[in-house]
Every structure is written in C-alpha cells, then in structure tokens.
C-alpha cells in the first residue's frame, strides 16, 4: 500500500510539473490561454488541472512563485564573491535579467492575479540584498544619489519592470535589454555613463 501511495504521489508530482511547464509555455505564447487550452496542451483532462490548481489565478501565482525563486537565485549568484559594488550590481542585474526576460510576459499576467503589491512583497529579499550593495557603494563613493539606498533599490526594481514592459511593447529589442538594464541601473546610481558602458562591455563581451 505504501509503495502504491508513493507511486501515486510521484505520478501526481510529475503531472503537476508537466502542467506547470506547459502552462508557462502556453501563457507566454498566448497570455489569454484558458485552463482548457492548458489541459489540452498538457495532454490531461481539465479536471486534472483543477485538481492541482483551483483557478487560473492560482496557477499563475504558482508560476510566479517559481519565477521569483529563480530571480532570487540568479541575484545571489550574480553578486557572489564580488566586492566592487558597481560590478556586483552589474553582474546581479545581468543574471536577474536573463531570468526576467524569460518570464517578462508572466510578470504582466501576475500583476492582475498576484497584484503589484504581492509581487513587491515576494521580491523583498532581492530588494534587501540590492539595498546592501547600493549602501556599500554609497559609503565607498562608488555610487552617488540624492536617494537613500532603500529608496534607490525601489527605483531600480520599478525600472526593471518598466524595461520588461518596454520589451513587451516592442520599444526595446530583447537582445539589447540586458545591457541597457545594467547601464540604466548604474547611471541611476550615479556612475558616469562612460564608466557604466565600459564595465558592461567588459562583462558581456
């Protein structure tokens, strides 16, 4: 009985993972994709999808949670072992943008169901880590801003969201967005544009 229960649980986990993977692909292809469409694409009946996710909003919320975890991991990996605040900000922004670019349409969807406030709260750990880097840069004179570090971190967060929307709306080429995001972050933190461009070129070439 225990083996059967474990097998059932394992199949349920596999189904859940497959539904999430297919749902992400479908929603990125068609932001208005219904639960029926997702079920068909996943090769399961509608009841199976609802068995794992009681609503479309719950499904999107779970997908966003996965995206937020990926952003946290990328941000930590990007700044790991980097002492220079400008390079730390650059590497972490580049790492986050790779993840954010993959999920940028999902973020727009999540603003409807998770809500902007919910997104902001979920990203608090990333914003706090960014605040630490910004504060270190301000203390060292690497950054210069009329804003205190916590406020500047909020500005940077919103700028990233704005850049994602600019890409979604066709105003910024996806292949240029990562570099543009880093240079924008650095110049907003008071780094001269020439120095910001030089640093980003070194990290991306």
């Amino acid at each position: 009985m225990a083996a059967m229960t474990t097998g059932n649980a394992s199949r349920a986990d596999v189904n859940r993972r497959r539904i999430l993977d297919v749902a992400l692909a479908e929603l990125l292809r068609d932001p208005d994709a219904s639960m029926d469409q997702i079920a068909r694409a996943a090769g399961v009946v509608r009841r199976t999808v609802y068995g794992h996710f009681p609503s479309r909003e719950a499904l999107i919320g779970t997908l966003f949670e996965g995206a937020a975890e990926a952003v946290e991991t990328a941000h930590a990996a990007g700044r790991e072992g980097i002492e220079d605040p400008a390079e730390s900000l650059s590497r972490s922004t580049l790492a986050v943008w790779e993840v954010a670019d993959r999920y940028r349409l999902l973020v727009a969807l999540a603003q409807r169901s998770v809500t902007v406030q919910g997104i902001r709260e979920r990203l608090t750990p990333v914003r706090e880590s960014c605040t630490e880097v910004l504060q270190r840069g301000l203390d060292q004179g690497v950054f210069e801003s009329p804003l205190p570090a916590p406020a500047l971190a909020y500005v940077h967060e919103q700028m990233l969201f704005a850049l994602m929307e600019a890409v979604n709306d066709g105003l910024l080429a996806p292949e240029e967005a990562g570099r543009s995001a880093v240079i924008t972050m650095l110049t907003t933190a008071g780094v001269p544009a020439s120095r910001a461009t030089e640093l980003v070129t070194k990290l991306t070439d």
Side-chain angles (χ1 to χ4, degrees), residues 71-131:
V71 165
E72 280 188 58
T73 300
H75 191 269
R79 69 178 192 280
E80 184 177 4
I82 307 298
E83 293 298 323
D84 175 55
E87 184 173 349
S88 180
L89 180 62
S90 299
R91 287 184 181 277
S92 59
T93 301
L94 284 171
V96 165
W97 186 265
E98 284 190 28
V99 175
D101 187 48
R102 196 183 322 147
Y103 291 109
R104 53 191 161 80
L105 287 173
L106 176 63
V107 171
L109 286 171
Q111 288 178 344
R112 304 178 201 169
S113 52
V114 180
T115 75
V116 172
Q117 182 60 30
I119 292 172
R120 182 177 295 134
E121 289 174 1
R122 180 59 186 81
L123 294 176
T124 295
V126 175
R127 190 167 55 254
E128 289 176 345
S129 296
C130 187
T131 299

